[in-house]
Amino acid sequence: MKKRKGYDIAGYVDDIYTHPFEDTREERIEAALRSNNISHYRVKTIISGPIVESEIYPVWNSRRYAPPKPKSKGSSTAQKNLNEKNARKKFCRLLNANFTADDIWATFTYDQQHRPENVDGAIKEMQKYIKRLSAYVKKHSLPPLKYLYVTEYNDEEGKGNKVRIHHHLVTNFRDRDVAERLWKCGGRTNTRRLQPDDFNLEGLGRYLTKGKRRWNSSLNLEKPKVYTADSKFRSVRQVESLLIPTKAAEKLSKLYPHFIVLEPPKIYTNALYGGYYIYTRMRRAE
């Protein structure tokens, strides 16, 4: 179905709707959340491997009535936190879309002799390592190399000290012994199989993106699939059925019949503009 007209705030909806909704029957609160300026509700579905994220949010009649995008300068703490949040989402989705329990993740450190002067130097060493893996893959006719790696470091750079630094790598290169042998910078090498849980690899993704770090990936990673639909809810009243846990489970099972809901929908509101933002995570049924 063709997308209905209206002003879409998908790019910043979770920065506007931040107040958790508490189930209440107070008419004045419910009425305030039904803005006449909301055209309809849009359903955005993000599929990353076995994990599905569902975002249900209002589309406004025009930009004039819609919540404005939060303003923050590039150097502000708010902007930094927003950038980190978006980067973490992207990283976790790429992990889920590309790697399975058959793949590995590794940690590499440096000995004193090979310890890099700065982060850029460490990334160059990691790129050399990736080239060695790629050459091995090509020589032995293995599947094309796929990877995500994180370079984690501390704040010693610029203080006359070498940076305490290490790398985490997630890859479809499955020979752990060879992966460890090809690291040429001393230090510790530690490889292990990936262990997905109900949320697949999100827990690992959050762990790998903590602290001071920079990450890179191969160009052949599969991107998450994103779909939007405007025909799932005919009215605000239908959206509000998701505010009741028992009805939410029934409605979501109809919207996503081949997926298992992993947690109750997270519902957020904005008292100034009205409307709801509803976020749910699901997993593909075996």
Side-chain angles (χ1 to χ4, degrees):
M1 179 178 287
K2 187 176 180 181
K3 217 185 257 191
R4 294 166 63 183
K5 292 182 179 180
Y7 186 73
D8 193 318
I9 61 172
Y12 57 94
V13 62
D14 54 348
D15 297 311
I16 295 295
Y17 288 87
T18 57
H19 181 73
F21 173 79
E22 295 181 1
D23 189 18
T24 177
R25 309 302 345 140
E26 293 185 31
E27 289 296 330
R28 62 182 182 81
I29 295 178
E30 292 186 2
L33 295 174
R34 296 190 192 110
S35 171
N36 293 328
N37 297 316
I38 293 175
S39 169
H40 58 282
Y41 275 80
R42 183 161 289 164
V43 179
K44 181 179 180 181
T45 303
I46 306 163
I47 303 177
S48 308
I51 299 297
V52 166
E53 298 168 82
S54 172
E55 295 183 336
I56 301 169
Y57 61 92
V59 176
W60 299 78
N61 289 323
S62 72
R63 183 173 184 175
R64 173 185 176 185
Y65 302 110
K69 186 174 182 179
K71 295 181 179 179
S72 56
K73 297 180 180 179
S75 60
S76 70
T77 300
Q79 186 63 46
K80 180 182 177 181
N81 291 339
L82 177 60
N83 292 342
E84 289 182 353
K85 181 186 71 174
N86 291 334
R88 186 176 297 110
K89 280 184 181 180
K90 182 178 180 180
F91 189 92
C92 291
R93 288 168 180 168
L94 287 174
L95 272 184
N96 284 332
N98 289 277
F99 301 101
T100 71
D102 294 324
D103 300 318
I104 69 171
W105 72 287
T107 300
F108 302 112
T109 67
Y110 295 85
D111 61 17
Q112 192 64 30
Q113 179 183 353
H114 295 90
R115 197 168 167 186
E117 295 287 346
N118 51 45
V119 177
D120 290 335
I123 290 177
K124 287 181 180 179
E125 288 296 340
M126 195 62 182
Q127 290 171 342
K128 292 177 184 178
Y129 173 73
I130 293 295
K131 288 181 179 179
R132 291 193 288 271
L133 286 182
S134 298
Y136 187 95
V137 163
K138 185 176 182 180
K139 180 179 179 180
H140 293 83
S141 301
L142 298 174
L145 184 68
K146 298 170 70 173
Y147 61 85
L148 273 164
Y149 72 82
V150 175
T151 301
E152 189 172 347
Y153 56 97
N154 65 1
D155 291 322
E156 291 184 0
E157 187 173 1
K159 298 180 181 179
N161 300 314
K162 289 187 176 181
V163 176
R164 293 184 182 275
I165 198 163
H166 60 277
H167 306 278
H168 298 291
L169 169 74
V170 181
T171 178
N172 67 339
F173 189 95
R174 296 174 179 176
D175 192 321
R176 296 168 59 190
D177 291 334
V178 173
E180 292 181 4
R181 188 175 73 243
L182 290 177
W183 178 250
K184 304 297 184 182
C185 294
R188 293 190 180 94
T189 59
N190 184 17
T191 59
R192 50 280 211 203
R193 295 291 173 194
L194 293 174
Q195 298 183 19
D197 57 20
D198 285 344
F199 296 94
N200 207 43
L201 298 172
E202 182 173 331
L204 176 62
R206 290 184 176 276
Y207 168 73
L208 294 184
T209 53
K210 66 177 177 58
K212 296 275 188 178
R213 73 283 181 274
R214 284 160 59 177
W215 63 272
N216 303 77
S217 67
S218 55
L219 298 177
N220 60 345
L221 294 185
E222 181 179 340
K223 302 297 189 295
K225 298 177 176 64
V226 181
Y227 306 94
T228 58
D230 289 343
S231 58
K232 303 297 184 182
F233 297 97
R234 292 190 299 272
S235 67
V236 174
R237 291 286 188 179
Q238 286 191 338
V239 175
E240 289 179 344
S241 67
L242 295 175
L243 308 182
I244 305 172
T246 54
K247 291 186 178 180
E250 179 183 354
K251 184 65 177 180
L252 288 168
S253 66
K254 291 180 179 179
L255 287 177
Y256 299 97
H258 303 297
F259 294 87
I260 300 169
V261 178
L262 294 173
E263 58 189 1
K266 295 180 180 178
I267 305 167
Y268 302 93
T269 64
N270 184 300
L272 180 61
Y273 297 100
Y276 308 92
Y277 167 59
I278 303 171
Y279 175 84
T280 312
R281 288 185 294 179
M282 291 158 280
R283 183 183 181 90
R284 190 183 304 277
E286 297 295 339

